[in-house]
Amino acid sequence: MAVYDYRPVWAGALCDPAAAGGSVDRIDLYGGPERTGTPLATAGPATRLRESVYRFEIPDSLPDGRYWCTVTLTPAKNQLTATDRTVRLDLPRGGDLIASAEQVADALNIPLPLTAVQRERYWQKIREAQADVLAYIGRPLTPTPRQLLSATPMFGYALDDPQAWPIQQYDDVVSVVSHISNADGTYEVQLLVGLDGSTEEPIVRYVVAHAAESLRNDPSDTDGTRRVSSVSAEGQSISYDTAPTPGQPGSLPTIDSLSGYKRLVYRPLTTAPTVPWPYGGGRRYRRW
């Protein structure tokens, strides 16, 4: 089963239906943006992972491609059922790619559906763009699962809050996937440690834009060729539209726009060993 983590939005803001006595009931997948007729697949109800995050399990039997969806939810107790018609899924999901081939096709103005050959070629360009991002920020783009056994939460924190658990050994982003209570009052906690690039819009935008640009400037590729601005009368010379310079509207994002995702490295201050006060001076033992 493929999984889709959904963030419910109601009245223009993120909401947590289960915490308010509501529920996230169903997701329907359609073959077109009209979202009419019989759904191609239906899944639900969703499982609450943590605050404002709900997980649907999508059947693996669906062909690769884009699906337009509606999500039915009850925002809170005694509220009317609401329908979110803004969800769009690109399958397959759950691999090592933080963007989809369909997103690259959108950037190239290539009509859908894609052929299997196109999809494989786009995936390769996405992997190349991801490799550039990984080399620049120096950290993986997919989180790693970790587990805490017999963990005791700190008082005053919600159990979905990573700060409630002993996570000091993880020098990275930490999110709580689940927590199961044991008979002795401790918990077994499932964590995700590391950056989740698929949820970071600046990283996704960079990867999609540069995968599309790589295809657009590949002479051997017929998809998304550069736009011709003029051709000489004899056809001996061709001029192309120039891309906007960095910083202009519509320009490609630059790699330094992702500098905020670089991991900060902690280096302890090194000092020369000294004898304890009062027998010797030193940064640690000096009284004045």
Side-chain angles (χ1 to χ4, degrees):
M1 302 291 285
V3 296
Y4 168 57
D5 293 344
Y6 171 68
R7 291 180 174 269
V9 176
W10 180 64
L14 277 174
C15 66
D16 192 357
S23 59
V24 180
D25 304 314
R26 189 178 74 251
I27 184 171
D28 297 317
L29 284 70
Y30 297 87
E34 299 82 7
R35 297 174 172 85
T36 57
T38 303
L40 299 178
T42 298
T47 303
R48 185 180 187 269
L49 290 183
R50 53 189 179 275
E51 183 180 1
S52 299
V53 179
Y54 291 77
R55 173 163 291 180
F56 286 106
E57 293 187 352
I58 309 298
D60 284 333
S61 57
L62 291 172
D64 296 346
R66 172 162 293 171
Y67 295 87
W68 290 261
C69 312
T70 62
V71 176
T72 304
L73 66 148
T74 305
K77 185 179 181 180
N78 299 327
Q79 291 284 349
L80 296 176
T81 301
T83 302
D84 183 357
R85 298 176 59 86
T86 64
V87 177
R88 192 176 67 182
L89 288 181
D90 294 335
L91 298 180
R93 298 181 61 85
D96 61 334
L97 302 180
I98 66 171
S100 67
E102 282 72 18
Q103 287 175 289
V104 176
D106 290 341
L108 294 170
N109 294 319
I110 299 298
L112 301 178
L114 298 175
T115 66
V117 174
Q118 285 177 310
R119 185 171 288 105
E120 290 288 345
R121 187 166 64 250
Y122 295 179
W123 284 346
Q124 180 57 37
K125 295 299 182 181
I126 292 171
R127 289 188 178 93
E128 293 172 2
Q130 288 184 191
D132 293 339
V133 174
L134 189 150
Y136 178 73
I137 67 176
R139 57 195 301 196
L141 299 180
T142 53
T144 302
R146 291 288 186 266
Q147 186 179 32
L148 298 178
L149 300 176
S150 301
T152 301
M154 293 183 62
F155 178 77
Y157 291 93
L159 298 183
D160 292 333
D161 189 341
Q163 297 184 66
W165 308 102
I167 58 172
Q168 293 79 10
Q169 69 270 29
Y170 302 123
D171 184 22
D172 210 331
V173 179
V174 178
S175 60
V176 178
V177 176
S178 65
H179 44 78
I180 302 174
S181 60
N182 299 321
D184 60 355
T186 62
Y187 288 81
E188 181 178 308
V189 187
Q190 302 291 335
L191 305 172
L192 285 179
V193 180
L195 181 67
D196 187 357
S198 62
T199 63
E200 301 294 335
E201 289 296 332
I203 296 180
V204 174
R205 180 175 182 266
Y206 181 92
V207 168
V208 171
H210 283 267
E213 189 68 9
S214 178
L215 287 162
R216 187 178 290 117
N217 292 303
D218 186 351
S220 64
D221 200 287
T222 58
D223 290 345
T225 54
R226 297 174 62 188
R227 294 180 294 273
V228 176
S229 60
S230 63
V231 181
S232 66
E234 294 80 12
Q236 296 178 350
S237 64
I238 300 176
S239 298
Y240 296 95
D241 285 343
T242 57
T245 59
Q248 288 184 333
S251 62
L252 291 174
T254 58
I255 191 69
D256 56 6
S257 66
L258 305 180
S259 60
Y261 291 100
K262 288 185 175 181
R263 180 183 295 172
L264 298 178
V265 179
Y266 170 76
R267 291 189 177 90
L269 181 64
T270 57
T271 57
T274 58
V275 296
W277 181 89
Y279 304 103
R283 174 177 175 272
R284 183 175 179 183
Y285 298 100
R286 189 182 300 275
R287 295 183 63 185
W288 299 280

